[in-house]
Amino acid sequence: MRWRTILLRYYFFLVTCLLTALEAVPIDIDKTKVKHTQPVESAKIEAPDTGLYYDEYLKQVIDVLETDNHFREKLQKADIEEIKSGRLSKELDLVSHHVRTKLDELKRQEVARLRMLIKAKLDSHQDTGIDHHALLKQFDHLNHLNPEKFESTDLDMLIKAATSDLEHYDKTRHEEFKKYEMMKEHERREYLKTLNEEKRKEEESKFEEMKKKHENHPKVNHPGSKDQLKEVWEETDGLDPNDFDPKTFFKLHDVNSDGFLDEQELEALFTKELEKVYDPKNEEDDMVEMEEERLRMREHVMNEVDANKDRLVTLEEFLKATEKKEFLEPDGWETLDQQQFFTEEELKAYENLISLQENELKKKADELQKQKEELQRQHDQLEAQKLEYHQAVQQMEQKKLQQEIPPSGPGGELKFQPHV
């Protein structure tokens, strides 16, 4: 389903999922040439996690809408712009009452979830100041003014919010990866500071040795090039490289047979290349870097092949790309180990930011410690007053006994002793 593909772009994939995706073989492939062919389930593919904070709500809405025959038919015929612009939202008025009722319930559950989330944030901030605008932005994917009913406005807002958020997702991932690499280097340098000169030299030598070991890997084919695709054709699909055919290759890797190669299906093509560089068993190979490499490969191929920039590759776009010179004679591909992620100035700025954050946390920790000490002081004071009160009562009882005055009860009443 194209609209599901547009809204549910997949960014984090487990290697096992990728290998499973590569096992699908369409009917028009000569299966006698395919090694270890396994039957493929035609059941509905599990929707991937988009990484959005409203991911579950988004998937549930899509699942419910797809149960309506009229709406599903409209979606299948709709183009990318119709979906992204929100024009399809008006079709919501024509869905069945049963579907509308389910959507209303989903919205009520989502509003309740967000209210709990906001309350938790308010409770955690207490008197430290609240950014109410930032909290209310969580409702950008639904109309919070009508929390009981799912209307066409809600579908329109959901589609636009998901599209906008996902368009910025790759950029955010690159930024997070850069921070990850700077933190790694920061922690390495901080650790070296704790060592004596001899140990420090040993660690530096080990670091350089692991770096060289990681860089010593087979040549990585240019993503999307003929050499790269033929390697997948031969080693993954088990087909004769002399029989390589782009059209057949496209159909083979269009796993859900929707006529497109989406981001998930494209990223699966790079597994063989990534295995040349990264092995989870090797200490020198970082799996976070492997996923960043996969993301960059996918982005590169999309930029080269996706002519209309809808983040989906059609058969026509794919075949046109195979006619280009870059497909037959590509430039070399620079892996991450050949690139510099940050400058010394950027690292220094990041370390300064970390220092500020640590100081702020220390300040808060000191404040909490003072509050704890103050509460303990008040507790001790109350305990001392309680003890002083009990001692005073005991002294009064003793004086009364000495003066032969009947002792008093808990409420101060006199206790008369019967004469024998």
Side-chain angles (χ1 to χ4, degrees), residues 10 36 57 98 104 110 154 168 229 234 286 306 344-345 376:
Y10 194 43
H36 312 297
Y57 174 65
H98 178 65
D104 291 345
E110 177 69 357
D154 291 288
H168 295 90
L229 298 186
E234 180 181 5
D286 188 332
D306 182 21
E344 280 297 320
E345 290 74 17
Q376 185 63 47

Side-chain angles (χ1 to χ4, degrees), residues 191-192 195-209:
Y191 173 66
L192 290 176
L195 306 176
N196 58 39
E197 186 176 354
E198 182 181 353
K199 287 287 185 182
R200 187 161 55 250
K201 286 181 178 179
E202 288 180 8
E203 283 297 322
E204 288 283 17
S205 177
K206 181 183 176 182
F207 175 75
E208 291 300 323
E209 182 182 343

Side-chain angles (χ1 to χ4, degrees), residues 342-359:
F342 52 84
T343 64
E344 280 297 320
E345 290 74 17
E346 288 174 323
L347 178 60
K348 186 175 180 180
Y350 183 66
E351 289 179 324
N352 289 338
L353 177 62
I354 292 174
S355 179
L356 287 173
Q357 291 173 340
E358 288 176 345
N359 290 336

Side-chain angles (χ1 to χ4, degrees), residues 22-201:
L22 288 171
E23 291 179 353
V25 181
I27 296 173
D28 60 344
I29 301 299
D30 184 356
K31 296 182 182 180
T32 62
K33 297 181 180 180
V34 180
K35 299 175 185 176
H36 312 297
T37 304
Q38 298 293 331
V40 180
E41 291 288 338
S42 59
K44 184 178 180 181
I45 296 174
E46 182 68 21
D49 184 3
T50 61
L52 301 174
Y53 68 87
Y54 50 90
D55 172 78
E56 189 63 27
Y57 174 65
L58 173 63
K59 288 189 289 191
Q60 288 174 340
V61 168
I62 292 173
D63 288 340
V64 170
L65 285 172
E66 287 183 346
T67 63
D68 186 89
N69 293 332
H70 169 78
F71 203 86
R72 186 170 63 250
E73 183 180 346
K74 289 290 183 181
L75 288 172
Q76 289 173 339
K77 295 179 180 178
D79 59 26
I80 303 301
E81 285 307 312
E82 281 184 292
I83 295 174
K84 292 173 69 174
S85 67
R87 292 199 297 272
L88 270 175
S89 303
K90 301 186 185 304
E91 297 293 333
L92 188 67
D93 296 332
L94 302 176
V95 302
S96 67
H97 175 72
H98 178 65
V99 169
R100 289 298 292 266
T101 301
K102 282 188 175 181
L103 291 172
D104 291 345
E105 179 60 27
L106 286 177
K107 182 177 179 181
R108 286 192 288 270
Q109 292 174 3
E110 177 69 357
V111 170
R113 183 185 73 85
L114 289 171
R115 283 174 175 166
M116 289 179 63
L117 181 61
I118 288 180
K119 184 179 183 302
K121 287 190 176 183
L122 290 171
D123 292 343
S124 66
H125 284 79
Q126 294 180 350
D127 297 330
T128 59
I130 303 296
D131 185 350
H132 292 278
H133 179 72
L135 293 176
L136 289 174
K137 190 181 184 302
Q138 292 171 100
F139 288 106
D140 278 0
H141 64 288
L142 51 74
N143 179 17
H144 65 281
L145 299 177
N146 183 2
E148 299 296 324
K149 295 289 183 181
F150 189 99
E151 302 168 320
S152 59
T153 305
D154 291 288
L155 183 56
D156 185 28
M157 292 177 70
L158 181 60
I159 292 173
K160 289 180 177 178
T163 302
S164 175
D165 291 343
L166 290 171
E167 282 176 350
H168 295 90
Y169 203 73
D170 283 349
K171 180 180 178 182
T172 302
R173 273 193 65 182
H174 288 312
E175 291 172 351
E176 290 302 316
F177 175 74
K178 184 176 180 178
K179 290 178 183 178
Y180 168 79
E181 289 293 329
M182 288 193 290
M183 178 58 78
K184 242 176 43 169
E185 179 61 17
H186 167 70
E187 290 178 346
R188 188 183 76 84
R189 294 184 183 186
E190 289 299 306
Y191 173 66
L192 290 176
K193 291 177 183 178
T194 66
L195 306 176
N196 58 39
E197 186 176 354
E198 182 181 353
K199 287 287 185 182
R200 187 161 55 250
K201 286 181 178 179

Side-chain angles (χ1 to χ4, degrees), residues 145-325:
L145 299 177
N146 183 2
E148 299 296 324
K149 295 289 183 181
F150 189 99
E151 302 168 320
S152 59
T153 305
D154 291 288
L155 183 56
D156 185 28
M157 292 177 70
L158 181 60
I159 292 173
K160 289 180 177 178
T163 302
S164 175
D165 291 343
L166 290 171
E167 282 176 350
H168 295 90
Y169 203 73
D170 283 349
K171 180 180 178 182
T172 302
R173 273 193 65 182
H174 288 312
E175 291 172 351
E176 290 302 316
F177 175 74
K178 184 176 180 178
K179 290 178 183 178
Y180 168 79
E181 289 293 329
M182 288 193 290
M183 178 58 78
K184 242 176 43 169
E185 179 61 17
H186 167 70
E187 290 178 346
R188 188 183 76 84
R189 294 184 183 186
E190 289 299 306
Y191 173 66
L192 290 176
K193 291 177 183 178
T194 66
L195 306 176
N196 58 39
E197 186 176 354
E198 182 181 353
K199 287 287 185 182
R200 187 161 55 250
K201 286 181 178 179
E202 288 180 8
E203 283 297 322
E204 288 283 17
S205 177
K206 181 183 176 182
F207 175 75
E208 291 300 323
E209 182 182 343
M210 288 178 63
K211 190 176 177 182
K212 289 178 181 178
K213 191 176 178 182
H214 173 69
E215 292 171 354
N216 184 24
H217 55 72
K219 176 190 173 184
V220 175
N221 290 313
H222 195 97
S225 67
K226 185 176 182 180
D227 288 340
Q228 191 257 313
L229 298 186
K230 279 185 71 175
E231 193 168 288
V232 174
W233 173 276
E234 180 181 5
E235 298 188 17
T236 303
D237 303 332
L239 298 172
D240 189 335
N242 297 320
D243 295 334
F244 177 74
D245 176 63
K247 185 175 181 180
T248 302
F249 184 91
F250 181 94
K251 291 183 178 181
L252 179 61
H253 293 280
D254 177 16
V255 180
N256 58 3
S257 302
D258 63 354
F260 300 88
L261 290 182
D262 59 29
E263 293 174 345
Q264 177 181 2
E265 292 162 338
L266 274 179
E267 289 190 2
L269 301 179
F270 311 135
T271 300
K272 293 301 296 184
E273 298 304 316
L274 294 169
E275 287 175 349
K276 297 176 182 178
V277 186
Y278 300 95
D279 185 342
K281 297 177 183 178
N282 294 339
E283 184 183 1
E284 68 272 10
D285 297 337
D286 188 332
M287 294 301 104
V288 174
E289 292 179 359
M290 183 186 77
E291 291 308 315
E292 175 69 10
E293 191 88 67
R294 190 192 305 277
L295 171 60
R296 295 187 183 203
M297 287 179 171
R298 186 256 293 164
E299 284 182 323
H300 173 76
V301 173
M302 276 294 189
N303 288 333
E304 293 289 319
V305 182
D306 182 21
N308 63 356
K309 305 303 177 186
D310 62 358
R311 300 178 77 118
L312 296 167
V313 176
T314 65
L315 176 59
E316 182 183 1
E317 289 173 329
F318 185 78
L319 293 179
K320 280 186 177 180
T322 62
E323 297 171 0
K324 297 179 180 178
K325 181 182 177 183

